[in-house]
């Protein structure tokens, strides 16, 4: 119809950058410009997130990693040919020909062929058991081979090599080695001292690191048996992953006669144009500013430049910042700006803490005013701030060492990264480098377009949709702008309630409301949602402690609370009876065994000193609990935001070092607070002496015996961001200890945001631990007695909720998969493993 | 209660369950013709909805166990597994364009719930 106005675009390569180009082109498309887009991909699946490829080993599937589904391409009119590489380009006729024989005409051709793994020409690389690490198919091969391998090695100690080595450890190999030719790890990002610190950390986790090793030959018959090094040494391995760098895929460009670089890469100018003005190259195949940018952010920027050009705009690809931050096996590593510049060209400040495995280096200009670059190993919390300070050339404070040493205590740490910090950055500071979004753009979305939530920002300008590393800063910017605009920033619950959790709790309490609809009718609007329902459910439980499934409360509970059990992959549930303090009689153990046998449950000792029975059908739950309750078990609330376990060590009754009876106290504490609903789960522990075998200092509240009494610690956390609990009372007797815990827990329940563990609650609290201590121990607010009374009231009405269900035919009826058939879900399937069963893998 | 307006040409109504089998403002799963159908009694709005019980995200049979609610007035259900939410009116996933579930008309007569397939 409008043939002449249609511009034919062909994209060769459906990798991350090729995909991003399509997305950007579509979003910039104007009415008078019609593009017909054809994409050829060599891989069998649509573009996926290669940056997070290793998560494949952590259970992510190809689908999880996909950038956009096949539907997306067809919906947007893009013709996508997969498993069909382009094999020839006819530049005179402007035609490409694919492997399957498709011949398509283009007006503009975009080469986004990426790169492949560089495999050095060492004799023996062709042997079985030698792999590269680039595509999902590579990972599938590695995964299946690793099952029968014991010792694995990775050739190359760079960013990707270390990631691959971690994968080998995760796959269960007995030994994983890293072999690097250079004298240090990650030679392009960090210096010798940083490398040493990283090496220590990685060795501590079981990796074997070999530096300065030049591999001469890969030994073995058809299959790899070991690596022979130039220094005469030999390493026995039965699999090897080569990660020695990347090689731009410029072979097609060469055939087409485009200019390529002798060391690889399709040569392009600042507009990403190749030596043919109708052909562009973007991503890892393009050589711009004399280099291959092996990172995703510059690739996306290239896509942006070409999409802008084709839609009539102008933009140039400028030399790109190569700063990176990553987490390697739990160790942060980051480098930014010019990490290697040396004195006397700059002043270098170094901080090293071997015990904690932390190394930091910053390079400051001679006049002390500008940050030039730096390296962070072990703790990269300040990375975003430092990177922004460096890029925006912010004038530094007189004591520039504060930049890396400033945060020495918990309170100061949060101050250093606080809102003021982000808001002092200039508008052009790049916040999201994956999507090239500046601080100014986010500010504008917040104040002019009213996008005041993370989700809204993600949707309107895509900030935070790439690696997600900038999300904390995005959140701070939103809050900062709102504050600047004089908006009182309040954490409202959701679109149905304009209150914070604390406010709603007070309102519900004063008005004595006990149902969800009551709360919604009085204080909210609309029909509620999956955010406010469980929150109100938790409030009602914290206030009145009535059975969470009665009145209208069952359908407002979160998945696990709704059926008083944790939902599992496949739709079965787990059963965790309470075993206070971890103490259990042989008789009870036998019953657990009988129940597990009868209902075919997978049985495991948990990390919380009790026993978890997995794989129970919804229909069986009441009968299982009936049998457990008959011998005195109670619900363990493993499903609830409530007290989990109070761990204990054996203490003075048996242990030769114990100074107090920690087991008795742990049982007493667990029985006191069992069933207590709170903003998030609560964990505790009691140790019998300073050796701390119960790990009390990692708990929300922990107790350690002393010669004279007990020490009370609060606000510890395990999980992904571990934090030690802090001491608030010393040598107190049991009664005092309990009184302080009552106050502490009740204060937490009343004031914490939803789903906030005690550690995070404390970190956000103005005045920090000193304030908390003043409230709980010194009672500066004069609310101590009231808090204790509130707690006592909750404790008095405690009932085991499973017992109530077992005894109520009405409640029992709801534990059935079908409402119209007495059968279990026929779709549930199991697999066997080590003589027990496990859930079938997701499809 | 008025039967939900149906848009399809030929609908066969299947008896699914009694009204009280589905908790108010909650859901339940019925087995109809070998298919698992999630039925929701959205009492707050005085409406009934039916959808696939299978969530397209990880093929889990659990949509009926999800929480219902609204987003800008549109009734929705959240899958209990990873909280993908689906419009009860159109079946479209509201937080991921790639997914959608089937919806079915519901009719309530004399305390019986019927679903049209
Ligand atoms: C069973 C168990 C693992 C095991 O086999 O040992 C376990 C299993 C689960 N943990 Fe855990 N955690 C278990 C001990 C722990 C521990 C160790 C401990 O308590 O000593 C921790 C770190 C300590 C801590 O919490 O500070 C732990 C930190 C987490 C976290 C992260 C919490 C955080 O603050 O970051 C989650 C996620 C959450 O709660 O949001 C979690 C969530 C989960 C859930 C509930 C995930 C879920 O929502 O489905 C798992 C469900 C189990 C099930 O289906 O029954 N689990 N989890 C352990 C049960 C202990 C118990 O007897 O109740
Ligand atoms: C394990 C791993 C971890 C990484 N981690 C990070 C990280 O943390 N941070 C970061 O910034 N970057 C990281 N990267 C790098 C990042 O993934 C790449 O920069 C990015 O994928 C480059 O995108 P691209 O589209 O240019 O190339 P690719 O994603 O490689 O896509 C190119 C596609 O073109 C196809 N192709 C080639 N020739 C043809 C042809 N003739 N016809 C049709 N199709 C063809 C290829 O098969 C491929 O599918 C990582 C890479 C890997 C492998
Ligand atoms: S904490 Fe003390 S009492 Fe408890 S087991 Fe360890 S050494 Fe013994
Ligand atoms: S299975 Fe439904 S959201 Fe994942």
């Amino acid at each position: 119809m409008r043939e002449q106005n249609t511009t034919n675009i062909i994209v060769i390569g459906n990798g991350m950058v090729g995909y991003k180009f399509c997305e950007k082109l579509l979003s910039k498309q104007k009415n008078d410009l019609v593009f017909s887009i054809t994409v050829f991909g060599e891989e069998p699946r649509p573009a996926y997130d290669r940056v997070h490829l290793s998560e494949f080993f952590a259970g992510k599937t190809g689908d999880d990693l996909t950038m956009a589904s096949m539907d997306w391409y067809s919906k947007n009119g893009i013709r996508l040919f997969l498993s069909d590489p382009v094999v020839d380009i006819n530049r005179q006729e402007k035609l490409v020909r694919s492997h399957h024989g498709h011949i398509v005409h283009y007006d503009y051709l975009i080469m986004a062929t990426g790169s492949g793994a560089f495999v050095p020409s060492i004799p023996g690389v062709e042997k079985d058991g030698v792999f590269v690490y680039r595509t999902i198919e590579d990972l599938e091969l590695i995964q299946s081979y690793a099952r029968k391998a014991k010792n694995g090695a990775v050739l190359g100690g760079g960013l990707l090599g270390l990631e691959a080595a971690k994968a080998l450890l995760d796959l269960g190999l007995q030994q994983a080695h890293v072999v690097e030719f250079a004298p240090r790890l990650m030679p392009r990002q960090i210096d010798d001292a940083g490398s040493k610190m990283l090496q220590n950390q990685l060795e501590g986790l079981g990796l074997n690191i070999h530096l300065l090793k030049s591999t001469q030959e890969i030994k073995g018959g058809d299959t790899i048996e070991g690596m022979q090094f130039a220094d005469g040494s030999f390493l026995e391995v039965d699999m090897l992953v080569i990660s020695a760098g990347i090689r731009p895929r410029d072979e097609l460009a060469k055939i087409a006669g485009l200019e390529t670089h002798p060391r690889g890469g399709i040569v392009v100018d600042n507009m990403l144009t190749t030596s043919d003005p109708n052909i562009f190259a973007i991503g890892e195949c393009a050589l711009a500013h004399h280099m291959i940018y092996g990172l995703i952010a510059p690739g996306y920027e290239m896509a942006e430049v070409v999409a802008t050009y084709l839609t009539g705009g102008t933009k140039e690809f400028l030399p790109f910042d190569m700063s990176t931050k990553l987490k390697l096996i739990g160790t942060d590593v980051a480098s930014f700006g010019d990490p290697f510049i040396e004195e006397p060209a700059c002043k270098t400040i170094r901080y090293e803490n071997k015990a904690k495995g932390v190394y930091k280096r910053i390079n400051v200009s001679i006049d002390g005013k500008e940050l030039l670059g730096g390296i962070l190993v072990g703790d990269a919390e300040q990375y975003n701030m430092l990177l922004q300070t460096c890029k925006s050339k912010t004038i530094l404070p007189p004591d520039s060492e504060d930049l890396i040493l400033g945060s020495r205590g918990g309170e100061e740490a949060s101050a250093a990264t606080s809102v003021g910090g982000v808001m002092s950055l200039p508008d052009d500071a790049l916040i999201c480098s994956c999507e090239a979004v500046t601080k100014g753009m986010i500010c504008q979305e917040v104040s002019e377009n009213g996008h005041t939530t993370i989700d809204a920002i993600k949707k309107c300008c895509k900030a935070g949709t790439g690696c997600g590393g900038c999300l904390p800063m995005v959140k701070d910017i939103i809050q900062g702008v709102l504050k600047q605009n004089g908006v009182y920033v309040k954490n409202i619950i959701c679109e149905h309630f304009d209150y914070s959790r604390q406010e709603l709790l007070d309102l519900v309490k004063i008005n004595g409301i006990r149902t969800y609809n009551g709360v919604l009718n009085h204080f909210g609007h609309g029909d509620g949602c999956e955010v406010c329902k469980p929150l109100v459910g938790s409030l009602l439980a914290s206030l009145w402690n009535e059975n969470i499934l009665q009145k209208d409360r069952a359908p407002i509970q979160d998945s696990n609370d709704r059926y008083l059990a944790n939902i599992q992959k496949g739709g079965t549930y787990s059963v965790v009876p309470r075993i206070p303090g971890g103490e259990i009689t042989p008789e009870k153990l036998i019953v657990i065994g009988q129940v597990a046998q009868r209902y075919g449950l997978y049985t495991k000792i948990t990390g919380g000193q009790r026993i978890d029975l997995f794989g129970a059908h919804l229909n069986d739950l009441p009968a299982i609990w009936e049998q457990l309750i008959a011998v005195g078990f109670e619900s363990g609330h493993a499903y609830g935001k409530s007290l989990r376990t109070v761990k204990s060590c054996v203490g003075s009754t048996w242990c030769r070092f114990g100074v107090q009876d920690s087991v008795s106290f742990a049982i007493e504490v667990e029985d006191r607070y069992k069933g207590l609903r709170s903003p998030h789960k609560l964990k505790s522990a009691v140790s019998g002496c300073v050796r701390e075998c119960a790990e009390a200092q990692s708990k929300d509240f922990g107790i350690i015996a002393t010669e004279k009494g007990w020490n009370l610690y609060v606000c510890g956390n395990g999980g992904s961001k571990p934090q030690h609990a802090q001491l608030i009372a010393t040598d107190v007797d049991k009664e005092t200890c309990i009184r302080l815990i009552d106050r502490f827990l009740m204060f937490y329940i009343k004031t914490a945001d939803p789903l906030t563990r005690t550690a995070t609650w404390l970190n956000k609290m103005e005045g920090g631990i000193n304030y908390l201590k003043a409230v709980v121990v010194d009672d500066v607010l004069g609310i101590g007695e009231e808090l204790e009374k509130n707690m006592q009231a909750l404790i008095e009405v405690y009932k085991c909720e499973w017992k109530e269900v077992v005894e109520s035919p009405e409640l029992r009826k709801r534990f059935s998969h079908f409402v119209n058939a007495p059968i279990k879900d026929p779709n549930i399937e199991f697999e066997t493993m080590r003589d027990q069963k496990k859930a079938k893998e997701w499809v | 209660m008025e039967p939900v307006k149906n848009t399809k040409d030929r609908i066969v109504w299947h008896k699914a369950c009694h009204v009280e089998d589905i908790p108010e403002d909650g859901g339940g799963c019925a087995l109809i013709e070998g298919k698992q159908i999630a039925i929701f009694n959205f009492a707050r709005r005085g409406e009934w909805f039916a959808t696939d019980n299978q969530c397209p995200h990880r093929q889990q049979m659990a949509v009926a166990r999800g929480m219902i609610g609204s987003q800008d007035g549109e009734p929705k259900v959240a899958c209990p597994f990873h909280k993908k939410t689906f419009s009860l009116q159109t079946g479209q996933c509201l937080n991921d364009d790639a997914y959608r579930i089937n919806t079915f008309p519901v009719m309530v007569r004399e305390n019986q719930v019927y679903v049209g397939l």
Side-chain angles (χ1 to χ4, degrees):
Chain A
M1 303 172 305
R2 306 179 45 193
E3 204 56 51
Q4 6 353 11
N5 287 347
T6 306
T7 309
N8 291 314
I9 309 262
I10 295 183
V11 183
I12 306 183
N14 187 222
M16 297 183 75
V17 174
Y19 161 75
K20 188 54 78 174
F21 169 78
C22 295
E23 185 191 293
K24 287 185 184 274
L25 190 66
L26 290 171
S27 75
K28 292 178 197 294
Q29 192 165 7
K30 302 183 191 96
N31 289 336
D32 53 337
L33 271 170
V34 181
F35 293 114
S36 155
I37 307 176
T38 307
V39 178
F40 287 95
E42 175 192 61
E43 292 184 67
R45 58 186 90 235
Y48 53 89
D49 184 355
R50 209 179 298 285
V51 170
H52 294 105
L53 188 64
S54 297
E55 291 178 18
F56 181 80
F57 289 136
K60 287 238 167 134
T61 61
D63 275 357
D64 291 327
L65 295 171
T66 299
M67 312 283 298
S69 64
M70 298 292 283
D71 268 6
W72 180 87
Y73 294 90
S74 56
K75 245 197 301 190
N76 287 296
I78 297 177
R79 279 205 294 168
L80 175 62
F81 296 98
L82 293 177
S83 303
D84 195 10
V86 170
V87 290
D88 197 15
I89 304 172
N90 178 340
R91 287 165 49 201
Q92 278 69 45
E93 311 277 326
K94 291 196 185 167
L95 294 174
V96 304
R97 180 165 58 84
S98 78
H99 175 71
H100 288 312
H102 293 286
I103 296 183
V104 186
H105 168 260
Y106 65 82
D107 296 309
Y108 293 105
L109 182 63
I110 318 295
M111 313 261 317
T113 49
S115 55
F118 166 66
V119 180
S121 50
I122 302 167
V125 284
E126 72 294 337
K127 291 193 198 309
D128 282 353
V130 180
F131 302 90
V132 296
Y133 199 84
R134 177 85 197 174
T135 64
I136 291 191
E137 283 68 31
D138 293 336
L139 267 62
E140 279 169 351
L141 290 174
I142 291 175
Q143 192 170 36
S144 77
Y145 199 87
R147 291 202 189 105
K148 46 182 187 171
K150 284 206 187 83
N151 300 336
V154 174
L155 186 66
L159 197 148
L160 290 186
L162 294 177
E163 206 174 299
K166 168 186 164 31
L168 291 186
L169 275 185
D170 289 350
L171 285 172
L173 265 68
Q174 281 170 13
Q175 285 192 33
H177 300 268
V178 174
V179 177
E180 168 61 52
F181 178 74
R184 62 172 190 261
L185 294 170
M186 297 182 64
R188 293 170 63 165
Q189 285 87 12
I190 62 178
D191 60 6
D192 284 333
S195 164
K196 284 217 179 71
M197 195 63 79
L198 179 63
Q199 183 173 354
N200 275 341
Q201 295 293 103
L202 298 180
E203 283 173 345
L205 289 159
L207 277 184
N208 302 296
I209 313 254
H210 312 268
L211 299 173
L212 285 167
K213 288 276 179 196
S214 152
T215 311
Q216 225 169 27
E217 191 181 344
I218 293 166
K219 296 275 195 188
D222 287 345
T223 306
I224 178 174
E225 283 161 19
M227 301 165 76
Q228 179 63 53
F229 301 117
D231 63 6
S233 55
F234 180 79
L235 180 66
E236 206 181 297
V237 290
D238 40 24
M239 74 184 285
L240 172 68
V241 177
I242 296 190
S243 177
I246 55 173
R247 177 150 251 308
R249 301 277 306 265
D250 57 7
E251 67 276 7
L252 181 63
K254 273 192 193 140
I255 295 173
L258 297 172
E259 188 191 342
T260 55
H261 193 273
R263 276 185 289 127
I266 308 171
V267 178
V268 293
D269 61 15
N270 287 3
M271 305 305 293
L272 286 325
T273 317
T274 63
S275 50
D276 179 330
N278 292 310
I279 305 183
F280 298 85
I282 57 178
E284 271 187 1
C285 63
L287 185 97
H289 305 295
H290 311 289
M291 68 183 284
I292 297 288
Y293 288 90
L295 291 175
I296 196 57
Y300 280 7
E301 176 66 12
M302 292 179 182
E304 169 78 21
V305 168
V306 177
T308 306
Y309 173 75
L310 294 179
T311 49
T314 44
K315 194 165 183 185
E316 244 182 299
F317 181 77
L318 301 172
F320 206 88
D321 184 74
M322 292 294 278
S323 308
T324 34
K325 171 178 159 189
L326 61 153
K327 205 172 197 98
L328 284 164
I329 325 191
T331 305
D332 282 335
V333 182
S335 75
F336 57 92
D338 186 346
F340 299 124
I341 181 171
E342 291 279 353
E343 286 174 7
C346 69
K347 286 194 283 187
T348 295
I349 301 167
R350 287 192 170 85
Y351 164 81
E352 207 177 85
N353 182 336
K354 286 225 170 77
K356 288 198 169 147
V358 174
Y359 169 75
K360 300 180 183 184
R361 160 182 177 169
I362 52 173
N363 310 318
V364 176
S365 64
I366 296 291
D367 62 9
K369 290 208 170 118
E370 236 180 76
L371 181 59
L372 302 176
I375 295 169
L376 304 169
V377 176
D379 170 14
E381 181 107 26
Q382 298 127 326
Y383 171 73
N384 275 326
M385 278 310 296
L386 290 174
L387 174 64
Q388 294 308 332
T389 310
C390 174
K391 280 208 255 183
S392 57
K393 303 198 163 37
T394 310
I395 304 284
L396 297 182
D399 301 316
S400 38
E401 67 270 16
D402 284 356
L403 286 175
I404 49 173
L405 302 179
S407 55
R408 270 158 284 193
E411 294 157 54
E412 290 161 53
S414 46
T417 48
S418 74
V419 172
V422 193
M423 292 317 280
S424 61
L425 294 172
D427 272 355
D428 59 1
L430 196 60
I431 301 294
C432 172
S433 45
C434 297
E435 292 288 342
V437 184
T438 61
K439 180 190 154 205
M441 290 155 76
I442 299 176
C443 291
Q444 188 177 352
E445 293 296 346
V446 177
S447 56
E448 279 159 41
N449 302 334
H451 295 130
T452 55
T453 61
I454 295 260
D455 276 349
I457 292 289
K458 277 185 176 173
K459 262 198 177 149
C460 68
C461 64
K462 292 202 161 273
T465 53
C467 71
C470 62
L471 285 177
M473 287 181 105
V474 174
K475 192 168 175 206
D476 285 350
I477 293 175
I478 299 177
Q479 301 238 328
V481 173
L482 290 176
K483 265 195 193 144
Q484 274 176 1
N485 293 357
V487 179
Y488 165 57
V489 187
K490 170 159 103 170
N491 285 325
I492 64 159
I493 296 168
C494 67
E495 66 171 78
H496 306 104
F497 288 96
D498 301 326
Y499 296 104
S500 69
R501 179 184 173 278
Q502 293 92 303
E503 291 169 329
L504 193 62
L505 181 128
D506 288 337
L507 288 169
V508 173
K509 182 173 183 202
I510 295 165
N511 292 280
I513 300 173
R514 288 165 188 250
T515 62
Y516 175 73
N517 274 315
V519 178
L520 187 57
N521 291 341
H522 275 82
F523 311 114
H525 37 82
D527 307 311
C529 67
E530 73 282 1
V531 175
C532 60
K533 283 184 167 181
L535 185 145
V536 171
S538 158
L539 286 189
L540 293 173
S542 289
L543 285 172
W544 320 118
N545 213 0
E546 292 179 333
N547 189 294
I548 60 168
L549 299 184
Q550 272 161 355
K551 307 223 170 109
D552 68 351
R553 291 185 297 253
I556 66 165
Q557 305 298 337
D558 214 338
S559 339
N560 292 345
D561 274 313
R562 168 111 195 246
Y563 294 102
L564 306 181
N566 291 18
I567 194 163
Q568 315 285 330
K569 229 178 184 166
T572 61
Y573 288 86
S574 72
V575 171
V576 190
R578 191 168 288 291
I579 301 179
E583 184 184 80
I584 186 161
T585 60
E587 290 71 25
K588 281 188 165 174
L589 267 180
I590 289 170
V591 174
I592 289 193
Q594 288 168 337
V595 168
Q597 242 173 7
R598 176 151 166 206
Y599 294 95
L601 306 176
Y602 166 82
T603 310
K604 179 181 182 301
I605 310 281
T606 73
Q609 292 190 337
R610 46 192 191 170
I611 299 170
D612 202 339
L613 309 170
F614 295 86
H617 284 273
L618 182 58
N619 300 38
D620 289 337
L621 287 174
I624 290 174
W625 276 103
E626 188 161 28
Q627 202 171 336
L628 291 170
I629 285 168
V631 293
F633 280 113
E634 292 184 314
S635 166
H637 298 96
Y639 45 81
K641 301 294 174 223
S642 53
L643 182 79
R644 295 286 164 91
T645 63
V646 180
K647 266 173 84 165
S648 76
C649 76
V650 60
S652 61
T653 49
W654 291 93
C655 174
R656 65 199 164 117
F657 294 116
V659 293
Q660 305 272 359
D661 179 0
S662 48
V663 179
S664 297
F665 198 20
I667 295 175
E668 194 179 318
V669 172
E670 184 155 349
D671 274 334
R672 184 170 179 82
Y673 302 113
K674 64 189 174 193
L676 178 73
R677 288 277 188 319
S678 46
H680 207 311
K681 60 192 178 195
L682 290 167
K683 298 181 177 185
S684 177
V686 185
S687 279
C689 81
V690 287
R691 286 169 193 76
E692 249 283 72
C693 301
E695 301 172 304
Q697 289 166 96
S698 68
K699 302 298 176 193
D700 296 282
F701 57 104
I703 304 165
I704 302 178
T706 67
E707 298 281 351
K708 299 188 202 114
W710 307 90
N711 284 352
L712 176 61
Y713 294 78
V714 295
C715 300
N717 201 177
S720 59
K721 257 195 146 191
Q723 185 167 319
H724 276 138
Q726 302 195 46
L727 184 65
I728 60 163
T730 321
D731 294 329
V732 291
D733 59 23
K734 265 191 183 181
E735 292 66 37
T736 313
C737 191
I738 295 268
R739 219 177 52 230
L740 295 178
I741 299 171
D742 278 1
R743 291 179 182 181
F744 164 73
L745 290 178
M746 217 54 223
F747 187 52
Y748 166 63
I749 289 174
K750 289 199 166 182
T751 62
D753 285 333
L755 300 181
T756 304
R757 288 290 289 269
T758 55
T760 317
W761 170 63
L762 175 67
N763 295 345
K764 285 189 188 167
M765 191 181 291
E766 260 175 60
I769 189 72
N770 292 332
Y771 175 73
L772 181 63
K773 198 171 158 185
V775 173
V776 172
V777 183
D778 309 325
D779 196 14
V780 290
L781 299 180
I783 54 171
E785 205 176 318
E786 188 198 329
L787 295 175
E788 289 164 40
K789 268 210 327 249
N790 293 341
M791 180 62 82
Q792 194 54 41
L794 291 180
I795 290 165
E796 276 161 18
V797 296
Y798 163 83
K799 289 199 194 83
C800 168
E801 50 206 20
W802 261 114
K803 187 154 185 277
E804 292 183 289
V805 169
V806 166
E807 289 169 356
S808 152
E810 191 49 36
L811 290 177
R812 263 184 107 132
K813 202 181 106 191
R814 298 284 179 220
F815 288 80
S816 144
H817 183 72
F818 292 114
V819 293
N820 63 344
I823 55 169
K824 300 170 187 176
D825 180 359
N827 282 61
I828 292 178
E829 289 178 81
F830 301 105
E831 293 167 354
T832 48
M833 193 172 72
R834 290 187 296 277
D835 301 330
Q836 295 205 63
K837 70 177 183 191
K838 72 178 188 90
K840 199 168 169 247
E841 271 314 306
W842 309 112
V843 273
Chain B
M1 185 162 307
E2 282 304 300
V4 172
K5 210 176 101 201
N6 65 66
T7 47
K8 291 188 198 130
D9 294 332
R10 235 179 293 136
I11 281 178
V12 181
W13 292 103
H14 297 268
K15 195 188 269 189
C17 58
H18 294 283
V19 164
E20 55 275 9
D21 288 333
I22 313 285
E24 287 195 358
D25 290 314
C29 171
L31 188 62
I32 301 175
E33 303 270 285
K35 262 183 88 125
Q36 299 201 16
I37 306 290
I39 302 176
F40 300 97
N41 175 1
F42 212 139
R44 221 188 139 74
R45 299 166 70 103
E47 292 178 286
W48 286 76
F49 298 97
T51 68
D52 290 332
N53 191 37
Q54 186 172 52
C55 174
H57 175 230
R58 283 283 174 275
Q59 281 67 45
Q60 300 293 303
M61 286 293 185
V63 175
R65 300 181 204 168
M67 275 177 275
I68 58 173
S70 65
Q71 177 175 324
D72 294 329
E74 183 162 13
K76 62 169 185 174
V77 58
C79 172
F81 273 89
H82 312 95
K83 299 277 152 62
K84 301 257 180 235
T85 62
F86 300 89
S87 162
L88 287 170
Q89 273 160 353
T90 65
Q92 179 59 47
C93 178
L94 299 172
N95 42 21
D96 192 332
D97 289 343
Y99 298 109
R100 96 181 268 131
I101 52 180
N102 291 309
T103 57
F104 309 97
V106 183
M107 171 170 83
V108 178
R109 286 272 154 82
E110 286 155 6
N111 216 29
Q112 281 287 345
V113 181
Y114 298 82
V115 175
L117 294 188

